Amino acid sequence: MTENFLEEHQKVNPNATGKTIKGGYPDNGNGYYSRKLSYEHWFKFNLHQRAHLLALESIFNLCFEILLTGIFTPWAAFTIGCVIFVARIVTVIGYLKKPEFRAIGGIVVILSTMVLHGYAIYNVVQFF
C-alpha cells in the first residue's frame, strides 16, 4: 500500500498531488476496523466519520445556548436553531463532496452561532 499510495489516493481524489491535505487527514485511528476495506472505501468511511464528529463537537453548547435563548426569546431560539441545523447539513454534505467545501455551510454555522451567543448572554443578563 505504501509503495503505490499516491496512485491509490489519486484514484479516489484525482486532484491529489501527494502533498499534505490542508484541513487534516480523514483518518480517526480506526485502522483496526477498516483493514479489509479498499483504499477508496476507507477514505469515504473516514470522511463520513469526520463529518459525524464535526456535527457532534458543538452539539452540547448549541443545545444549552438555545435553551438559554429560548427563555425570553423563543422565536429567536427556534429560528437560529433551524438555521444552524440546515447549515450543519450543508456543511456535512459539502465535506463529504470535498473537505474544502465544508466552508460553505460552516460560515453560516459560525455566524449564526455568534448571534446565538449574543442572545444567550443578553437573556442571562436580563434574567439577573
Side-chain angles (χ1 to χ4, degrees):
M1 176 85 147
T2 56
E3 295 171 5
N4 59 353
F5 176 78
L6 184 57
E7 293 172 22
E8 288 290 321
H9 189 63
Q10 285 175 335
K11 288 178 189 174
V12 177
N13 185 3
N15 297 329
T17 61
K19 295 181 181 177
T20 304
I21 300 171
K22 289 189 178 184
Y25 293 106
D27 188 9
N28 290 313
N30 53 15
Y32 178 79
Y33 299 106
S34 58
R35 270 189 216 158
K36 301 200 185 233
L37 296 176
S38 67
Y39 181 77
E40 179 179 7
H41 287 104
W42 171 84
F43 190 81
K44 288 180 180 179
F45 172 76
N46 282 293
L47 283 177
H48 282 81
Q49 186 77 4
R50 181 62 190 139
H52 170 72
L53 292 173
L54 283 171
L56 282 181
E57 66 188 7
S58 62
I59 192 74
F60 176 77
N61 293 336
L62 289 175
C63 288
F64 183 69
E65 288 186 353
I66 288 171
L67 177 69
L68 289 177
T69 301
I71 293 173
F72 293 108
T73 51
W75 281 107
F78 174 75
T79 304
I80 295 169
C82 288
V83 168
I84 290 172
F85 177 75
V86 171
R88 278 285 181 193
I89 292 173
V90 171
T91 303
V92 167
I93 292 170
Y95 186 76
L96 293 177
K97 296 287 182 192
K98 190 174 181 182
E100 294 84 21
F101 291 164
R102 67 182 167 189
I104 295 168
I107 293 170
V108 177
V109 169
I110 289 170
L111 293 176
S112 55
T113 302
M114 290 172 61
V115 171
L116 185 63
H117 289 327
Y119 267 108
I121 291 169
Y122 170 76
N123 285 337
V124 168
V125 169
Q126 184 179 358
F127 184 74
F128 293 108

